[in-house]
Amino acid sequence: MTFHTSGGLGLLLLYFSATVAVADLPIVVPVDGEPFGGTLVAGNLGGSVAFETDGGRKELDVADLGRWGACVEPDRGPLFLLRDGTLLVAGILEATESELILDSEPLGMVRTAREQVAAVVLSLPPSQLERDQMLDNAVRNEEDSSRVVLLNGDRIRGKLVQFDDRALSLRTAVGLVELQLDRIAVLTLPPAPASASSSSAVVGLKDGSRLEVKKLAIDGESATLTLAGGLSCKTQTDQLVFLRPASPRIVYLSDLTPAGYRHVPYLQRTWDYRRDRNVEGGLLRSAGRLYLKGLGMHTAARISYAPPSGAETFQAEIAIDDITDGMGSVRFRVFVDGAQKYVSPTIRGLAKPIPVSVDVQGAQRLDLVVDFADRADVQDHADWLDARFVVEKK
């Protein structure tokens, strides 16, 4: 982004004018340069991606793409959580001792090894925070048995014997237990042997699936994907709504260990910072949009980082998290080697995120500060969305 740090009003005007200009198309955020609207029409993670814009076709090297589009959140189960980090919205058709056969609306029939599935969420809680916590907790199983959480909160452990679209059976210490799926909230499977997998991008689909992919090829109306865990599948290009490649030019702050962190409570309660989560532990959301990367902080706090070698800019979007339901007010500040380089206007709940870009070339230290504004620290859930260092192009 090329939005810079002088003049909060000018920054807001630039942001809103850019937003209006591309409102009818998904947003393309390049590593360098201003966002623009475009439809993804072609590309390969090993080379470049192409977008159809109001001004014609535009092509970017994958390394120069920050993200495209916006994630859709699933509103129903079942959700299959794979060990490579993929979240797949699908129904179950059949299960064998070694394989699950799933029915995905955008992907069709999907066959996956049972050992690649970490958990199945069958019923989603009503609140977004509860959903986020359920998904986080679902994959935390270190015991050599499956775990079932019923809708009433009861937990049952045992060996999974049978699983289909109606019921599952567990062999427990007291014998065989059969459970109808409509009584179950979550099924967590025992850990599987570690396998090497690497993701080159996150791809979001219209049904709320988020896929960790290592290969993606888009050719006209068809897209071919290979997941980090090895699963291969195809879909229509118009089913893709989000793409965030693992650009070598982007280093997310949430993937780094900070050089320091300090929170100064207004009264007594202290808050830690969160990586890729808001301070309540839910996913980062602002203006109705889900962000997969960023930092959650609470006033008044300061977090410090050492910029990586070759870092040129620090970039982020600043906002109050949607979890506050419109409450909260924060002033964001950015310091480089002790000198203040950016101060925001007062950011309040429900305001759209504001982009920030600060030069860090040659810097030894970056400090991000969130300060009290109106009404002390009430609901001051501050988000540094997609907070990242952009490094020089090689």
Side-chain angles (χ1 to χ4, degrees):
M1 295 182 189
T2 56
F3 300 109
H4 292 289
T5 59
S6 60
L9 179 59
L11 187 66
L12 282 168
L13 291 174
L14 278 171
Y15 174 70
F16 288 120
S17 63
T19 301
V20 170
V22 297
D24 295 333
L25 292 170
I27 307 299
V28 182
V29 180
V31 174
D32 296 313
E34 295 184 11
F36 60 90
T39 301
L40 182 62
V41 293
N44 190 304
L45 289 181
S48 63
V49 286
F51 303 93
E52 194 64 44
T53 75
D54 287 340
R57 190 180 177 102
K58 188 167 185 177
E59 193 166 312
L60 289 175
D61 287 344
V62 170
D64 294 328
L65 175 62
R67 69 171 188 267
W68 166 78
C71 285
V72 174
E73 301 203 54
D75 58 3
R76 60 180 175 81
L79 307 180
F80 289 81
L81 309 182
L82 306 189
R83 299 196 186 277
D84 62 10
T86 288
L87 183 156
L88 182 63
V89 180
I92 181 165
L93 295 177
E94 186 181 343
T96 68
E97 214 171 285
S98 60
E99 184 181 56
L100 293 178
I101 303 174
L102 310 178
D103 180 24
S104 162
E105 185 173 335
L107 302 175
M109 185 181 294
V110 176
R111 294 177 176 268
T112 180
R114 184 185 284 191
E115 65 180 16
Q116 290 297 317
V117 179
V120 185
V121 176
L122 295 161
S123 178
L124 291 170
S127 83
Q128 287 180 324
L129 179 59
E130 289 176 325
R131 292 182 183 191
D132 296 342
Q133 292 172 337
M134 173 181 281
L135 293 175
D136 284 344
N137 292 332
V139 296
R140 295 172 185 162
N141 184 17
E142 297 180 358
E143 299 186 19
D144 293 330
S145 60
S146 295
R147 179 183 67 205
V148 170
V149 180
L150 302 181
L151 293 176
N152 65 6
D154 289 348
R155 287 169 163 77
I156 303 172
R157 291 188 177 275
K159 181 180 179 182
L160 182 63
V161 176
Q162 179 267 342
F163 182 29
D164 59 30
D165 62 342
R166 296 182 305 100
L168 62 80
S169 298
L170 288 176
R171 190 172 302 283
T172 72
V174 296
L176 191 66
V177 176
E178 181 171 311
L179 298 165
Q180 298 298 309
L181 295 192
D182 59 10
R183 295 181 56 199
I184 299 172
V186 182
L187 164 66
T188 298
L189 300 175
S195 59
S197 64
S198 60
S199 172
S200 298
V202 179
V203 173
L205 304 182
K206 275 186 179 179
D207 68 345
S209 296
R210 293 196 296 271
L211 314 179
E212 294 283 343
V213 306
K214 59 182 178 181
K215 293 181 182 179
L216 170 64
I218 302 165
D219 184 10
E221 297 181 354
S222 178
T224 303
L225 310 95
T226 302
L227 274 56
L231 181 66
S232 294
C233 46
K234 289 187 176 182
T235 189
Q236 297 297 302
T237 302
D238 63 8
Q239 293 295 316
L240 308 183
V241 296
F242 177 77
L243 172 62
R244 193 199 72 211
S247 170
R249 298 194 58 206
I250 292 178
V251 179
Y252 289 102
L253 272 64
S254 57
D255 294 333
L256 300 175
T257 300
Y261 171 77
R262 184 186 182 199
H263 176 258
V264 179
Y266 184 77
L267 293 174
Q268 292 184 331
R269 182 173 181 178
T270 58
W271 295 82
D272 203 354
Y273 78 99
R274 298 283 192 128
R275 303 183 189 200
D276 302 330
R277 297 291 188 274
N278 63 42
V279 290
E280 297 280 1
L283 293 174
L284 299 162
R285 296 179 179 90
S286 177
R289 178 174 176 174
L290 172 66
Y291 290 77
L292 301 182
K293 303 296 293 181
L295 300 172
M297 295 172 62
H298 199 287
T299 57
R302 175 188 295 258
I303 194 166
S304 306
Y305 289 89
S309 176
E312 295 183 327
T313 58
F314 161 74
Q315 298 178 0
E317 295 179 42
I318 53 176
I320 301 296
D321 197 272
D322 282 353
I323 198 173
T324 69
D325 291 327
M327 299 182 68
S329 58
V330 174
R331 182 160 292 181
F332 293 75
R333 294 191 289 161
V334 179
F335 292 79
V336 178
D337 288 340
Q340 181 172 284
K341 296 297 183 180
Y342 173 80
V343 58
S344 75
T346 298
I347 307 298
R348 297 180 175 87
L350 299 182
K352 290 185 177 180
I354 295 178
V356 175
S357 181
V358 175
D359 190 334
V360 295
Q361 292 185 78
Q364 300 300 307
R365 183 183 177 100
L366 173 79
D367 293 293
L368 306 180
V369 176
V370 292
D371 282 333
F372 310 124
D374 310 330
R375 299 186 64 192
D377 70 341
V378 176
Q379 295 292 303
D380 284 355
H381 293 11
D383 291 342
W384 300 88
L385 304 166
D386 281 343
R388 60 202 182 274
F389 290 112
V390 174
V391 301
E392 62 188 355
K393 192 169 186 177
K394 296 180 180 178

